[in-house]
């Protein structure tokens, strides 16, 4: 475990998918692109959870490049005010899909510290070290150190992807 002054919060995300018919992989959201984000000092929507919906208007949120981090590391968006002020971060981004019915596999490639939950088009698709009922002041269930990218397959992508514009919403949790 790193000393508290060296702990970092880091989330870099890429979405990859493979088409069943062609077997070719394509990147839906490349690394280092801008995301809309909201610091978890309060709930980002009323009712709680409305921010995950496709129709939610996040125009008032800040915009920054991935990865999102505090402490050490380089590049992306530095959240220098996170320590002692908030334990969560909310992220949203639109991405386009053509022929969603042909997508047989969808992978999330992520480097994270300490936990997160992912919704696509309002559907929960992944939870890693996240609390059962996430709020703006939630913390991760356990510690998970960043440092390398992990590939996690999202089950049944045809059940939540649509042709055209899709929305991914992510809530990131620190452990303290």
């Amino acid at each position: 475990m790193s000393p508290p002054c060296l702990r970092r919060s880091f989330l870099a995300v890429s979405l990859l998918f493979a088409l069943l018919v062609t077997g070719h992989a394509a990147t839906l959201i490349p690394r280092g692109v801008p995301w809309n984000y909201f610091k978890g000092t309060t709930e980002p929507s009323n009712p709680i959870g409305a921010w995950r919906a496709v129709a939610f208007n996040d125009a008032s949120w800040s915009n920054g490049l991935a990865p999102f981090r505090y402490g050490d590391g380089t590049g992306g968006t530095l959240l220098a005010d996170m320590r002692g002020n908030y334990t969560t971060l909310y992220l949203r981004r639109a991405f386009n899909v053509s022929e969603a019915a042909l997508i047989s596999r969808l992978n999330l490639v992520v480097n994270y510290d300490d936990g997160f939950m992912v919704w696509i088009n309002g559907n929960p698709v992944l939870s890693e070290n996240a609390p059962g009922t996430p709020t703006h002041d939630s913390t991760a269930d356990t510690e998970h150190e960043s440092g390398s990218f992990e590939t996690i397959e999202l089950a049944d992508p045809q059940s939540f992807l649509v042709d055209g514009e899709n929305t991914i919403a992510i809530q990131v949790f620190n452990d303290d």
Side-chain angles (χ1 to χ4, degrees):
M1 182 165 130
S2 301
C5 63
L6 297 178
R7 298 240 351 146
R8 61 188 157 204
S9 180
F10 186 82
L11 182 74
V13 177
S14 294
L15 282 177
L16 305 174
F17 72 92
L19 298 179
L20 176 63
V21 174
T22 64
H24 291 95
T27 301
L28 293 174
I29 303 174
R31 294 179 189 154
V33 298
W35 289 72
N36 289 340
Y37 71 95
F38 183 87
K39 297 174 181 181
T41 55
T42 62
E43 289 294 338
S45 63
N46 186 8
I48 294 173
W51 68 274
R52 302 172 194 145
V54 173
F56 180 75
N57 183 353
D58 60 12
S60 66
W61 288 21
S62 299
N63 191 271
L65 300 176
F68 293 85
R69 62 185 180 80
Y70 82 89
D72 56 347
T74 60
T77 301
L78 177 63
L79 303 169
D81 63 341
M82 187 175 198
R83 178 162 308 285
N85 294 313
Y86 52 98
T87 58
T88 63
L89 181 69
Y90 300 86
L91 302 168
R92 285 177 51 92
R93 181 170 174 74
F95 63 97
N96 287 306
V97 171
S98 59
E99 301 184 278
L102 298 180
I103 298 175
S104 62
R105 186 173 177 174
L106 183 67
N107 291 331
L108 181 75
V109 181
V110 62
N111 182 1
Y112 68 97
D113 180 346
D114 286 292
F116 63 95
M117 294 179 81
V118 179
W119 296 264
I120 296 180
N121 296 327
N123 299 294
V125 298
L126 181 62
S127 180
E128 293 289 328
N129 294 331
T133 305
T135 61
H136 79 282
D137 56 356
S138 294
T139 58
D141 285 345
T142 60
E143 184 178 297
H144 179 277
E145 285 299 316
S146 61
S148 62
F149 282 91
E150 299 174 34
T151 300
I152 304 168
E153 185 173 346
L154 304 180
D156 196 19
Q158 294 172 348
S159 69
F160 54 82
L161 291 176
V162 298
D163 287 341
E165 188 172 281
N166 291 259
T167 300
I168 183 170
I170 303 175
Q171 187 172 0
V172 182
F173 306 95
N174 209 350
D175 75 338
D176 59 8

